[in-house]
Amino acid sequence: MQQFEIYSPLDMHLHLRDEDMLKLVAPKTSNTFAGALVMPNLVPPVTTKEALLSYKQRIKEACNDDKFEPFMTLFFKNDYTYEFLNDIKDDIIALKLYPAGITTNSENGVSSMDIEVLRPTLEILSELNIPLCVHGETNGFVMDREKEFMPIYESLAIAFPNLKIIMEHITTKDAVELMNKHNNLYATVTLHHLLITLDDVAGGALKPHLFCKPIAKRYEDRSALLNAALNAHPKLMFGSDSAPHPKHKKECCGCAAGVFTSPIALQVLTELFHRYGKLDNLNAFVSLNAQKIYNFKAIDKKITLVKQEFIVPEIYEYKNENVVPMYAGESIAWSIKEIK
């Protein structure tokens, strides 16, 4: 096969940041994707209707005239009222829950995952049919943080059976198994977790631009993720977790966590699914599953890709901001031919 078409691709977990970084990275998604679920962990986090609508407007301005819809999320807090969430529900696609301090800009996250502490807000979400997206990690040993969070996911799924819970950027076979166990558990998976293990990050020379949270895991974990994605598991969606950081914050002591994949995501996914003979499943994985899970109709958009070498830029820059993409300076097998 030398050409392939993707219809209304969606990125269901994306970091766009703000100000000049937003202006740099937003078009790298809006150019090729029809929509994306945008994370609310700005500084300060997005917790009010005014902040949410203002951020959405800044995103749209950064995306120029691209056919693209930002799906907005609200940073989870325990003190939201029914009246507030009922008023804002048509402006958001989900609430995003971060355990406090677990990843970038999550210091204002939830300090306790106790069911009874969370119950008031989660009952409101259940009643209003607002999904809950969760960064599922503990503060334990770095390779075990997601696995240790599985009992929390299970407790939430059992305690709130009418609440749609999305396990964000899953990285382990345990998460795949748990997704299959409960009807109200769904998941996103990133491009980089389908491609790399911890060996790629730190098995030889340290590669800071592959360092992310959750950290890449073992070969058996990658295999479980790949199997689910390549077969378009109906409860699994593509969510890049593309997380831009300036080059000086990646190539330093205290390296920031995040892999920037937005400009090459569709090309590399096409290469990956083509390699395994699963291209017929790519549209479901990158578009149809999300529309069914979140119950919406995506903007019409067609991306035509061709099997033609593309050299990934070494760096992307705008004013004083810059970011290094995954595979910087390397060759990938597929290129984007046309966007309609």
Side-chain angles (χ1 to χ4, degrees):
M1 180 173 286
Q2 298 297 311
Q3 183 167 303
F4 185 73
E5 294 174 346
I6 300 177
Y7 298 92
S8 300
L10 302 166
D11 184 344
M12 300 308 291
H13 184 121
L14 178 67
H15 295 272
L16 289 177
R17 311 305 189 202
D18 210 346
E19 300 179 341
D20 283 347
M21 183 61 84
L22 168 65
K23 294 174 183 177
L24 169 60
V25 303
K28 304 298 182 290
T29 292
S30 64
N31 180 47
T32 52
F33 284 84
L37 188 151
V38 181
M39 293 295 104
N41 58 329
L42 303 182
V43 181
V46 179
T47 59
T48 68
K49 188 170 185 177
E50 180 184 17
L52 183 119
L53 296 179
S54 176
Y55 187 34
K56 184 174 184 177
Q57 182 59 35
R58 296 197 299 278
I59 293 170
K60 288 194 168 187
E61 289 172 358
C63 296
N64 302 313
D65 296 324
D66 289 337
K67 292 168 64 177
F68 174 79
E69 179 65 25
F71 305 125
M72 306 306 292
T73 60
L74 202 64
F75 195 92
F76 187 98
K77 289 171 55 181
N78 275 324
D79 59 357
Y80 290 133
T81 64
Y82 178 93
E83 291 74 21
F84 171 75
L85 291 173
N86 187 50
D87 177 63
I88 204 172
K89 68 178 181 179
D90 292 336
D91 298 303
I92 61 174
I93 197 169
L95 258 66
K96 175 61 184 285
L97 187 153
Y98 292 93
I102 205 68
T103 190
T104 304
N105 298 341
S106 63
E107 291 76 16
N108 293 306
V110 172
S111 57
S112 171
M113 290 301 301
D114 184 275
I115 292 290
E116 296 310 314
V117 173
L118 302 174
R119 183 175 296 279
T121 302
L122 296 186
E123 286 183 344
I124 297 171
L125 297 184
S126 298
E127 184 175 346
L128 294 175
N129 196 30
I130 300 173
L132 176 71
C133 298
V134 183
H135 183 119
E137 290 191 284
T138 69
N139 276 315
F141 177 65
V142 67
M143 289 292 284
D144 296 332
R145 290 175 182 175
E146 184 177 286
K147 183 177 181 179
E148 291 174 352
F149 203 89
M150 292 302 107
I152 298 174
Y153 274 134
E154 187 151 35
S155 296
L156 291 171
I158 293 170
F160 305 97
N162 297 320
L163 177 62
K164 193 171 288 184
I165 302 168
I166 290 84
M167 302 185 292
E168 295 278 33
H169 43 49
I170 60 172
T171 64
T172 62
K173 61 183 178 63
D174 303 272
V176 175
E177 292 168 1
L178 189 64
M179 178 178 65
N180 289 324
K181 186 176 179 182
H182 295 280
N183 290 335
N184 58 331
L185 284 182
Y186 302 84
T188 60
V189 67
T190 75
L191 172 63
H192 49 283
H193 286 118
L194 295 176
L195 297 170
I196 67 173
T197 68
L198 186 59
D199 264 354
D200 297 291
V201 183
L206 185 65
K207 295 182 179 178
H209 294 288
L210 294 181
F211 172 63
C212 58
K213 290 183 179 180
I215 199 164
K217 302 298 192 302
R218 301 169 176 84
Y219 291 95
E220 58 267 31
D221 295 305
R222 182 181 62 181
S223 293
L225 300 175
L226 257 178
N227 181 64
L230 291 171
N231 289 292
H233 191 299
K235 298 179 76 180
L236 185 67
M237 304 165 279
F238 173 65
S240 71
D241 194 19
S242 184
H245 293 280
K247 182 179 180 181
H248 73 273
K249 289 190 175 181
K250 292 291 291 180
E251 299 177 3
C252 66
C253 180
C255 171
V259 183
F260 184 58
T261 57
S262 290
I264 60 164
L266 293 182
Q267 300 96 304
V268 178
L269 281 171
T270 302
E271 179 179 347
L272 181 64
F273 276 64
H274 180 252
R275 184 191 315 156
Y276 285 93
K278 295 289 187 177
L279 270 177
D280 287 346
N281 292 334
L282 182 53
N283 273 292
F285 173 64
V286 82
S287 181
L288 298 177
N289 286 355
Q291 294 182 65
K292 291 176 183 177
I293 291 168
Y294 278 99
N295 190 30
F296 70 89
K297 176 69 169 66
I299 294 171
D300 288 334
K301 193 167 185 175
K302 183 175 75 172
I303 312 301
T304 302
L305 300 101
V306 291
K307 198 168 187 298
Q308 179 179 313
E309 181 187 44
F310 175 74
I311 305 300
V312 180
E314 294 277 359
I315 196 167
Y316 292 95
E317 297 178 295
Y318 175 81
K319 293 187 176 179
N320 293 321
E321 294 288 2
N322 60 68
V323 60
V324 176
M326 188 177 187
Y327 294 141
E330 299 182 33
S331 170
I332 56 178
W334 287 74
S335 301
I336 291 173
K337 177 184 178 181
E338 187 177 50
I339 300 169
K340 284 188 175 180

